[in-house]
Amino acid sequence: LRLGLRGTPPFLDEPTGGPIVAKESHFYMVDGEITVAMSKMRKGETWGTALGGRGQVDPFTRQEIQRELMIERFQEEHPGFDFRSAEFNGQVPDPRAFMGGVKYT
């Protein structure tokens, strides 16, 4: 991810935490603050970090991210059910591999 003003060196030049879909990613600026939204190439993948040169996500937060991805996956696969209050006993499974993996539509 390279971000900067045209004609000057970039103030951010870091690899992303994984592959992204550039056509589905975007940025915008409001009141001098830039927001970047990256679309992951592999659905359900949990990145250890958003940008390669930055700190890693702590294990508890990573589990929460995996929980959200699992619930999102369940909602997609079973649209008539509400999984928002679902709980997992023990470690949350990897959403990309759990029960046959992610189905792409």
Side-chain angles (χ1 to χ4, degrees):
L1 175 66
R2 181 178 289 164
L3 192 60
L5 298 173
R6 196 169 290 169
T8 64
F11 54 87
L12 180 65
D13 191 3
E14 304 276 347
T16 59
I20 65 166
V21 180
K23 290 180 180 179
E24 295 177 12
S25 302
H26 60 276
F27 74 95
Y28 56 92
M29 185 180 339
V30 175
D31 296 329
E33 183 175 302
I34 298 172
T35 299
V36 178
M38 298 181 288
S39 180
K40 294 179 182 177
M41 185 172 289
R42 292 190 284 272
K43 191 177 191 178
E45 184 175 47
T46 307
W47 291 355
T49 182
L51 297 174
R54 307 298 168 164
Q56 294 287 313
V57 173
D58 73 89
F60 178 77
T61 302
R62 190 177 186 114
Q63 283 290 301
E64 288 299 309
I65 293 168
Q66 281 190 265
R67 178 188 177 281
E68 292 298 319
L69 289 171
M70 283 297 293
I71 289 172
E72 182 179 307
R73 178 181 158 189
F74 290 158
Q75 284 296 147
E76 277 185 19
E77 292 176 0
H78 308 282
F81 294 93
D82 184 0
F83 293 98
R84 288 178 292 188
S85 61
E87 294 184 18
F88 295 91
N89 293 332
Q91 187 172 0
V92 178
D94 179 357
R96 289 197 47 79
F98 180 71
M99 294 185 70
V102 176
K103 308 291 186 271
Y104 290 91
T105 55

